[in-house]
Amino acid sequence: MTTQAPEAPAPVEVVAPAGTFEPVIIGFTCNWCSYRAADLAGTARVKYPPNVRLIRLMCSGRLDPTFVLKAYAEGADAVLVSGCHPGECHYIEQNYKAMRRFQLLQRTIEALGIEPGRLQLVWASAAEGVRLANEIARVTEEVRALGPLNWPAADLVDLDTFSLEKAWEATGGDVEGPPKAPAGANPDHPKEAAK
Amino acid sequence: MSPTARSKPAAKPAAKPTAKPAAKPAAKPTAKPAAKPKLAIFGAASCGGCDIAIVNIHEHILEVAAAFDIVLWPTVMDGKYSDIEAMEDGEITITLVSGSMRTDETVHLSKLLRRKSKFMVAFGSCASEGCIPGLANLTPRKEILDTAFSTSSTDNPDGIRPVWEFEAPEGILHLPEFEPMLRTLDQVVDVDYTIPGCPPESEQIWAALQAVVAALKGTGPLPPKGSILGAGESTVCDECARKRDVKKIDRFVRIQQVAAFDPEICLLEQGLPCNGPATRNGCGALCPSVSAPCIGCYGAAEGVVDYGARLMSAYASVIEATKPEEIDKILDGIPDPAGQFYRFSLAGSLLRGSRSAWQSDGE
Amino acid sequence: MSDYLYYPGCSMEGSGRSYRESLEGICEPLGISLREIDDWNCCGATEYVSLSTTPAYAMIARNLALAAGEKKDGESLVAACSACYLNLAKADHYMAQQPAFNARVNDALGAGGLHYDPGTVKVRHLLEVILNDVGLEAVKAAVKKPLTGLKVAPYLGCMVPRPDIDGSYTNHEQPDDLDRLLRALGAEVVDYPLKTECCGGHMTQVAPKLGLELIRRLVAEAERREAVMMVTVCPMCQINIDAYQGEMNAMFHTKHKMPIVFFTQLMGVAFGLDPKKVGVGREYTNASKALVKALKAAPEQALVAAGAAPARRPRPDKRALPMPRMADSEVEE
Amino acid sequence: MTAEHNHLPVEGEIRIGVYVCHCGSNIAGVVDVAEVAKWAAENLRDQGVVVARDYKFMCSSPGQELVTDDIKEYGLNRIVVAACSPHLHEKTFRTATARAGLNPYLCELVSIREQDSWVHTDKAAATVKAKAILAGGIERVRRNEPLEPMTVDINPATLVVGGGIAGISATLEIADAGFKVYLVEKDASIGGHMAQFDKTFPTLDCAACILTPKMVTAGNHPNVELLTWSEVEKVEGYVGNFTVTVRKKARYVNEDLCNGCGVCQEKCPKKVLDEVFEAGLGYRKAIYTPFPQAVPRTPVIDRPNCTYFEKGTCKACEKFCETNAIDFAQEDTILTLDVGNIILATGYDLFDARKMQQYGYGHLPNVFTSLEFERLSNSAGPTNGAIVLRDGVTEPKSVAIVHCVGSRDKNHNTYCSAICCMQSLKFAHLVKEHTEATIYDFYIDMRTPGKGYDEFYQRIMEEGGIFVRGKPAEITDVARAPEEEGKLIIQVEDTLIGRQRRFPVDMVILSSALEPRADAKELAVRFGISCSFDGWAIEKHPKLDPVATMTEGVFIAGCVSGPKDIPASVAQGAAAAARVLGMIQQKRMKLEPIKATVNAEHCSGCRICNTMCPYNAISFDDALGVSSINAAMCQGCGTCVAACPAGAIFGSGFSDEQVLAQIEGLMSVGADGLPQRRSAFPATHDEATQEAVRA
C-alpha cells in the first residue's frame, strides 16, 4: 500500500519518537499452542511490546521458508517462529519439521548477510502465555539492538508496460488458451498417457 | 499499485484462467500484415550458450529464417543499435533476450528493445532468474572488481580500476557501467514470455518457436502473457527414470565423496543433494540420468514464489533427526547453502542477493 | 588438577587447625589445588554484620575485590568455614540484588582504591565443591582405608547449605549431601535429623544454660542413634560441641562423650593419611579410639554399609504393618 | 493490478466489509477503533474495502445484523471483523455471513483484543498495530476461497479410558442410552481410587456401598465391553472414525472359564506386598483380584512375583482350579477397536510424600499418607478398620492431620489439590469415631466449598478436633522434653497466635497432593490433546467447555484435567457422555474444510511429502507416479503443503497466497503508523530506480 496513502497521516499515528528505532517483527504461531498462548497472555492482561504482528498457521509445520523470506523482503526486521514444545505437537511430530527447516534457513540467511538473531524459534505451549510474552519482549529487545534490516523494496522500478492486447490485435490472431507445453523427454509418461 | 502487484506470484500468473486477455474473434487471414514478422535476438550479460542452443535446432533454423525477418542477432550477424532506434515502436514482432542485466548498457538496450517489440521473451536462465552470474549478488561490486582486477593472473601493478567516463582527446568516452547488482530481465522491463533453462533445450526452443509462429499465422492459440514456454509445469522428477521411495535422509554427501551411486535409485535418497524435486521439468532429467545431481537450471516449478525456499523446505522436511545437534550434523553436509539453493535463481529470488551487495550501495 | 582461590578465615589458623591440616592433606588425592588469596581479612564472622551493615559488608567485600583481582578464568572462591562462606556469599548476593547498597559498599572500597562488581567471583563452600566438582565417584576411588563400621552422625549446622543461595545442594530442608559423602568413605551414617539444628553459636557466651542445652540435644541424640562420633563442616559447631561438652555434662549431670571431627579429617583417614597428620587427636573429646577400631575392619566389607534404613528395624510384632519402600539409595538388598 | 486479480478465487470485483469492534471498553479503551475504521475506509479502497464501521459489540445480534444487512445492501463478497480471538467468535461471524447467503469462509476474524488492546498500554502504538493487523486480514480475505465443509459419519461406539468413578459414570450414561462402549482399565478391576476409600465426604456414606452397584452394572451391561488389565497403545483416525489399538495384557486366567470362586487366591503360596490397592499397607497373593468386590472377578497372575514363572514349579492355583481356567501359556492380545468418540478419565496419582523428607514419611513409622489411612480405616482393609500405629496393635492417643502436603508449595505443586481439606476433616471424624485419640489438624487455609461441606467442617469442630493454622516445618522423633519422648513432634508456627509450637503425637496423617499421572504427557501425545506444564489435560475452554479438548472427538472427565472430588468427577463423566451422545445423535458431522490437496498436474512424484503425514493421509500411486491425499484423514496441519518442492500441494484455508498476502498487509503499516518507507535496490544509471530512491 506504499503508493496508496500519499495524504499526510494524523499526528496521533506517529508513536515512535523521531530517532528511536521501533522494529517490526512478524510472528508465526501455531493454532493449538502458541496462538492460544498469545490469547492467554491477552486474557491474563500480560503486557509486551507492540512490535510483533502475529500470523496464525494451523501448525508450525505449515511454516514455509518462503513466508520468512517474504517477511524480510517486505521490510520486516525479524521473524519469530513459534510452535508446540518438541514432543508435544498437536499433530504429533510436525514441529520437528519446523525445527529442521528453521535450522537450515538459519544457515541460508546467514549466508545472505542476515544475523541469526533476526530469525528466532520459540516453543510455547497453550499454557505459557507469560512465557510467550516474555520471549516476545526478549526478541524485540534483541532486534532493537541489531538495528533495522531495511531490505529494499522489490519492484519500485516502473516497468514500462506494454499492452499485449493491442500488440495482438495488430498481429490479428485468436486468443485461445496456451498450447500445452510439451511435458519434455518422456511423452509416454503414464501421466501424459492418462490424458 | 498494490503490494501484491509487486509480489512474485503476481508476476507469474500463467496458470490462472483470468490471465487470458479478453477473448477476441479470430481475425480473417486477409487481416494479416504483408511483411514478414521481425525477430530480434539479443544477448545481454550471457555466455553465448543460449545462442548456440538456438542454432542447435539444426535445419529448423532455416524455417525460422523463412518465417521471420531477423533484424538483430549480434552473435551471428551484424546489426546496429541505431537501426533499432530508428524503428517504430512495436515494429519488432518478437525479441528474445538472453543474458542478465549487468551493465547500464544492457539495461538501456533491453528498455529500447522492449519499446520496439510486441513480444518480449526472457530467454534462458540468465534473463529469467539471473543464473550463475546472479551469484555475484552475494558480493559488493567493489569486491567483485577488486577480485577481477587484482588476481594473480591479472597484470595490474597500479591497481587500476575501470572508469565509466573517460576523457579522451576525442572527447568523453562512456563505458558501460557495471551495475551494483545484477538484475533479471523482468526486473527491468515488462516481460511477456519466459523460456527457462541454462541453456534451454533445443527441441524445447523449437517447440516454443513453432507455437509462436503458429500463433502469428493465426493457426494456433496465443500463449497468455506471462506463460513459461518450452517447459513443463511439474519438476524434474517427473521425467527422471530413477526409482523413488519415501525420503529419509540421514546424511548429505558431495558427489566427489562417493565412489559410485546406485544407478537405479533416486540420488537424493542416496544423500546427494539433487535439486530435481524443486526444478521445473523440460530438460528430460539429463543430469540425474548420468548420476549427476540436478543443479536447478530450469528454475522453479509453476507458481512457486522462491525456488530456494521450496528446496530448503523439502530437504529439511525429510531429514531423519529430531535433536538440534543431530540436525546440524546432517546439515553440515551442505557447506554452501546459498550456492546449493540459489545457484541459478538468486537474482530472481525474494531477497535477490546478500545484504552486503545492496548495502554497499554501489561502492 | 582444578584450581580454586581459597579463603581460609581466622579459625583455620586457630581453633580449626585440624580442619586446615586435613584439608591440605586431601587436596592432592582429590585433585584440587587451593591458592590462598593474598592479604585477606576478617569475614565479619557473626557479629559485625548485625551491628553496622555497610562497613561490615565493605570489609567482607574487600576480600571479594582482592579475589576478583587474583582470579583466573573459571576459578571460583572456596571457603571451608561455613561462617566465612556465608558472609562472602551474602555480600556478593546482596550487592547484586540491591544497586544502592552495592554503590555504598563500593564507595567504601573505593577509599581503599578497590572495586568489586557483584557476580565476578563465585563463592562456594568446600563441601559443595567436593560433591559437585570432584564427585563421589572420584572420592570413592581415592579411598584406601574404608571407614567400614564407623557409625557417624553427619552434622552441618545452620549455615551450610542454608540459605542455598544458588541452589547447589540437593535439598535444603533435609540435606543429605554430607551423608552421601561419608557413605562414600565407607562410614555407616546414622539417620540424624538434627543435622541442621543450632549448635548454640554464641549462646554459650551470652546465655550458657540455653547454649549448653542446645549442645546437649545434639550430643544426646547422636548417642541415642548409636553414633560413635559427630562429623561437621563448621569450625564454630566443632568448637562449641567439642569444647563445651564438659561444662554441659556438669550442668545437666550427664556423662556424654561424643567426639566431633571435620569431614575432611575422615576423608584424610580414609585416603590412608596418618590420622595425626590430619589433626585427629586435637579435639578435647578424643576421636582416635573410634577411628582405630574402624580402620581395623576388613576392607572387603568396604562401601557396603549404607545408612540405617528403617526397613531393617526389627519388627516388634507379626501384626505390624509394612513400612513404605524407600528411595533406591537407601533400599537394602 | 491486473496480475493481482489473477489470484482471486471468485470472479468479479472484490467488495469487502470491515467491522471494528469496541468490545465495550475492552478494545476501545486502548485502540482508537473509530480511527481504525475510518483509516480502512479511506486508505484501503483499492484493496476493495467498500464499507468500514466500528460498533460497540459486534458479537451482539445487532452487531451481526450490521454484517448481514451490509452484505445485502452493498453486495459485499468478503468480510473482515476486527475483534477478539478467532477461537472465541470466528464461528459466530462466519455463521452470520452464511445467514446472509455468503460462503462463511469468505469471512475473516482478526484479533485486536487478545493480541492488541489487552496486551498493550500505549494507545497510539496499539492503534497502529490494529491497523496493521486489519490490513493483514484484508489482504488475506481477498485470497480466501469459498470452502465447503466435508461431512463424515460418526461411529456410534465410544471408547472410555479409565475405570474410576468418572469413567464408570460416563460409560453407564452412554450404555444406558443404547450405544456401545469399550471401557479400558489398566488395572485388574474397575473402581479406581474410590474403591480404596471407606467413607466419602461430606455425607459419610460408605464408598463401596455406592460404588460397587455401579461397577457391577458396568460389568454386566449388554452395551459395555469391559477391557481390564488393558492399555491403549495407539490412536489413529479422526473424530467419528478413530481406530484404537489396545493391548490386553495376559491374565494367565481364562476369563470365560473362571467363575471367580477365589480358591486360587487362597491356595497361592506367594504373599506379595500390595502397593497399588492396599497402598503398600497390606498383602495380596501372586494370583489376585485387587479387592473382594472386584469387577471382573477374574483374577490375574502377577508374573514377576509368581513362583511358577520364577522357578518353573508350583502351579498351586492350577491344581486347585475346578474350571481349569488357569492358563500359564496365555499371551498379550492386541485388539483393534473402531470408535467415534473417546473419553479420557485416567484420574490422578498421589504425591510421593517421601519427597518432603522433613515430614519423615518412610523414616518415621507412624507417619502415614492419606491413601494409607484410607486403607487403615477401611473395614475391608489390612487392619479390618482398626486405626492403629505401624506396629499393627497400638491405638494412637493423639493424631495429627497435615494439609497441603505437596500442594500450595512452590517446591512441589503450586496448585490447591481441592479435596484435601474435606478429606482431612473426614479423617478427623473417622479417627474420632474409631479411637479415643485427640486430633490436631494443621491447615494453611480451610477450603470447604460445595454443598454441605462447610457444615461438615462445623460438625467436625464440634466433635472437638484441635485446628492449628500453620504449615508444619518439621515432623521429628527427637524429643526435647520428657513429654515428647517416644512421640512424633510437629514443629509448626501457629500463625493465629504467631508463635512456634511443638505438638507431640502418636500418629501423623499427611494429606498428600493429587498429581497428574506419571505418564500424563505421553498420554496427551497419544490422544493428540494438550496438557499443562504439570501434566493436567487442558480443556477446550476452562469455563464454557470443560469436558471437551481441542481435539475433536476426544473428551475428558474427572481428575485427568485437575483435582476434583467425587461429585465433580461423576458430573464430568455424565457431561462428557452427554457431549458424546450429542455427536452420536447427529450421526454425521461437518469437518473443517482446512485440507491439503495435490495438483496431480504439478506433482512430479518425488515422494518428499510421503513421510510428512502422521495420520497416513498421503499415499503414492505407483501407476500414475503421483501422490494423493485422503481428505477425510487429513487434519489440515499443512506440513506437506510447506514441504512440497514443486508447490503442487494446495492448503485450503491457509494457502500460500493467503499467508503471503497477509504478510504484505501486516507490513504495509510501519511502526510509526505511516506506510513503510522503503529504499530500492541500488542501480546506478537506471532513471526509474533513481526516481524510486528519491521518492
Side-chain angles (χ1 to χ4, degrees), chain A residues 1-2 4-5 7 9-10 12-16 22-24 26 28 31-32 35-36 38-39 41-43 45-59 61-68 70-77 85 87-88 90-94 97 100-101 125-128 150-154 156-158 180 189-191 194-195, chain D residues 26 35 39 43-44 46-47 85-87 90 111 114-115 118-122 124-125 128-129 131-132 139 521 525 528 532-533 538 540 550-551 594 600-603 611-615 623-624 626 635-639 641-643 654-656 659-660 662-681 686 688-689 691-692:
Chain A
M1 262 142 281
T2 315
Q4 277 176 2
E7 65 271 50
V12 58
E13 291 187 0
V14 187
V15 294
E22 285 297 330
V24 177
I26 293 291
F28 294 95
N31 178 61
W32 305 98
Y35 192 87
R36 284 170 200 268
D39 280 357
T43 347
R45 309 298 199 274
V46 182
K47 301 288 180 259
Y48 57 83
N51 304 61
V52 174
R53 301 169 182 181
L54 297 180
I55 291 178
R56 176 169 64 129
L57 302 174
M58 287 307 282
C59 174
R62 176 64 179 93
L63 184 84
D64 180 337
T66 314
F67 300 163
V68 178
K70 174 70 171 177
Y72 295 137
E74 287 296 320
D77 297 293
H85 288 270
E88 296 176 16
H90 177 80
Y91 299 100
I92 299 167
E93 57 189 20
Q94 308 302 57
K97 281 108 180 174
R100 298 180 210 140
R101 292 174 192 152
S125 79
E128 293 177 305
N150 259 333
W151 210 269
L156 284 186
V157 186
D158 305 326
K180 181 88 191 74
H189 184 290
K191 226 170 74 189
K195 291 195 198 108
Chain D
N26 279 307
E35 161 62 20
W39 173 83
N43 297 282
L44 304 184
D46 298 23
Q47 273 59 44
S85 163
H87 290 139
E90 187 175 68
S111 169
E114 284 80 353
Q115 287 176 29
W118 274 355
V119 288
H120 306 317
T121 45
D122 180 327
V128 169
K129 186 174 174 182
K131 288 178 183 174
E139 284 299 337
K521 292 225 156 89
V525 171
S532 75
F533 236 53
I538 293 182
K540 187 165 194 173
M550 291 175 211
T551 306
I594 294 168
E601 283 304 313
H602 291 189
C603 174
T611 50
M612 289 300 105
C613 186
Y615 307 98
L624 286 185
V626 296
Q635 302 293 297
C637 70
T639 305
V641 182
F654 289 84
S655 67
D656 289 357
V659 180
L660 291 170
Q662 189 176 5
I663 296 173
E664 287 170 2
L666 286 171
M667 291 308 305
S668 66
V669 182
D672 54 3
L674 307 176
Q676 289 265 336
R677 279 185 223 74
R678 310 281 305 280
S679 60
F681 285 97
D686 182 330
T689 314
E691 263 167 50

Side-chain angles (χ1 to χ4, degrees), chain A residues 1-192:
Chain A
M1 262 142 281
T2 315
T3 55
Q4 277 176 2
E7 65 271 50
V12 58
E13 291 187 0
V14 187
V15 294
T20 61
F21 161 57
E22 285 297 330
V24 177
I25 301 166
I26 293 291
F28 294 95
T29 56
C30 153
N31 178 61
W32 305 98
C33 52
S34 44
Y35 192 87
R36 284 170 200 268
D39 280 357
L40 185 58
T43 347
R45 309 298 199 274
V46 182
K47 301 288 180 259
Y48 57 83
N51 304 61
V52 174
R53 301 169 182 181
L54 297 180
I55 291 178
R56 176 169 64 129
L57 302 174
M58 287 307 282
C59 174
S60 53
R62 176 64 179 93
L63 184 84
D64 180 337
T66 314
F67 300 163
V68 178
L69 301 178
K70 174 70 171 177
Y72 295 137
E74 287 296 320
D77 297 293
V79 173
L80 173 71
V81 179
S82 65
C84 312
H85 288 270
E88 296 176 16
C89 178
H90 177 80
Y91 299 100
I92 299 167
E93 57 189 20
Q94 308 302 57
N95 49 359
Y96 287 113
K97 281 108 180 174
M99 192 200 292
R100 298 180 210 140
R101 292 174 192 152
F102 165 82
Q103 282 177 253
L104 180 50
L105 192 52
Q106 276 279 11
R107 291 163 173 249
T108 310
I109 63 168
E110 236 177 311
L112 295 176
I114 301 174
E115 301 91 338
R118 296 189 189 271
L119 174 57
Q120 303 218 21
L121 178 62
V122 167
W123 303 124
S125 79
E128 293 177 305
V130 178
R131 177 188 153 84
L132 183 66
N134 293 337
E135 289 295 309
I136 288 178
R138 177 183 61 76
V139 172
T140 309
E141 279 327 299
E142 288 179 21
V143 176
R144 201 188 296 281
L146 285 172
L149 179 59
N150 259 333
W151 210 269
D155 306 18
L156 284 186
V157 186
D158 305 326
L159 305 174
D160 31 279
T161 45
F162 188 84
S163 160
L164 185 60
E165 288 76 2
K166 280 213 202 64
W168 185 237
E169 274 166 5
T171 57
D174 66 37
V175 276
E176 282 320 302
K180 181 88 191 74
N186 186 4
D188 51 2
H189 184 290
K191 226 170 74 189
E192 297 303 319

Side-chain angles (χ1 to χ4, degrees), chain C residues 140-141 143 146-148 182-187 298-306:
Chain C
K140 282 191 186 132
V143 171
L147 308 175
T148 317
L182 293 171
R183 271 193 215 104
L185 302 177
E300 57 270 16
Q301 311 167 7
L303 306 179
V304 291

Side-chain angles (χ1 to χ4, degrees), chain B residues 181-242:
Chain B
M181 283 183 86
L182 178 143
R183 287 181 288 167
T184 64
L185 185 62
D186 72 338
Q187 286 166 6
V188 175
V189 300
D190 190 33
V191 171
D192 301 313
Y193 304 125
T194 302
I195 300 180
C198 179
E201 284 304 308
S202 296
E203 68 271 19
Q204 296 283 26
I205 298 174
W206 176 233
L209 288 173
Q210 276 175 306
V212 174
V213 172
L216 292 174
K217 290 213 186 88
T219 59
L222 173 73
K225 184 182 169 76
S227 300
I228 307 279
L229 306 179
E233 296 184 332
S234 182
T235 67
V236 171
C237 303
D238 198 33
E239 302 170 348
C240 180
R242 289 177 175 269

Side-chain angles (χ1 to χ4, degrees), chain D residues 435-446:
Chain D
T435 73
E436 299 299 307
T438 348
I439 292 152
Y440 302 93
D441 186 292
F442 300 90
Y443 65 99
I444 307 178
D445 300 291
M446 192 59 76

